[in-house]
Amino acid sequence: HKGELYYLLGLTKLESDPNNFNHILELARQALTLKRYEESIDLSLRLRDLAKTDAHARAFIRTNRPFNIDLEAEIYLLLSSAYLPLNRFADALEVAKQAALISPDRKEIIQCYANCEVVSGSLDKAYQTLYELLMEAPDYPAAQLLLAIIFC
């Protein structure tokens, strides 16, 4: 399987340079894709800690924005995406909130936050978040769908 081979390549890269922020980030993404949620969480937490303590990691975050998303917000998005299938809803909500605070202009991140509010049982907060999102992006289908689910 191609994804598994890419994952193994990522492990090899990480072994040769264990504090390389980009290698850890790629491996965290790949672990999530392969449904290795605990591993993705561990790698993402490592990224978060590196971002706080390592000057090279902070510089990497400031200068790299793949998909035009703040990398710190992406770390929290990775965490949220890995916590949800493990039914760790409170954890997912906490990190989704942090991502939304960092990147309030990214509809995908706001959508993730609203999803977490729904599964955490806060339909009013999810509704308000989606309402505000749809005022900015009225044709965003993911937000429309989640809003419809709230009203069911």
Side-chain angles (χ1 to χ4, degrees), residues 27-65:
L27 198 56
R29 288 172 178 156
Q30 194 60 28
L32 183 63
T33 300
L34 294 173
K35 299 181 181 179
R36 294 177 180 216
Y37 302 121
E38 293 289 350
E39 197 163 340
S40 182
I41 290 167
D42 291 343
L43 290 163
S44 297
L45 290 173
R46 190 167 157 194
L47 286 169
R48 187 193 64 190
D49 293 344
L50 267 177
K52 291 178 183 177
T53 61
D54 185 273
H56 295 294
R58 284 192 303 276
F60 184 86
I61 287 172
R62 280 193 307 273
T63 58
N64 290 280
R65 291 182 180 247

Side-chain angles (χ1 to χ4, degrees), residues 3-81:
E4 193 68 34
L5 292 174
Y6 186 70
Y7 175 80
L8 293 173
L9 176 62
L11 282 176
T12 303
K13 286 180 178 180
L14 190 57
E15 286 174 9
S16 68
D17 192 359
N19 288 322
N20 184 301
F21 192 89
N22 192 45
H23 295 338
I24 300 168
L25 179 60
E26 287 180 13
L27 198 56
R29 288 172 178 156
Q30 194 60 28
L32 183 63
T33 300
L34 294 173
K35 299 181 181 179
R36 294 177 180 216
Y37 302 121
E38 293 289 350
E39 197 163 340
S40 182
I41 290 167
D42 291 343
L43 290 163
S44 297
L45 290 173
R46 190 167 157 194
L47 286 169
R48 187 193 64 190
D49 293 344
L50 267 177
K52 291 178 183 177
T53 61
D54 185 273
H56 295 294
R58 284 192 303 276
F60 184 86
I61 287 172
R62 280 193 307 273
T63 58
N64 290 280
R65 291 182 180 247
F67 314 113
N68 204 26
I69 293 178
D70 182 287
L71 281 178
E72 188 178 1
E74 184 185 353
I75 292 167
Y76 290 122
L77 196 59
L78 285 168
L79 282 166
S80 184
S81 297

Side-chain angles (χ1 to χ4, degrees), residues 107 130-145 147:
K107 62 185 179 189
L130 292 167
Y131 178 81
E132 291 170 10
L133 176 57
L134 287 168
M135 289 288 99
E136 297 293 320
D139 294 330
Y140 188 47
Q144 293 171 343
L145 177 63
L147 194 59

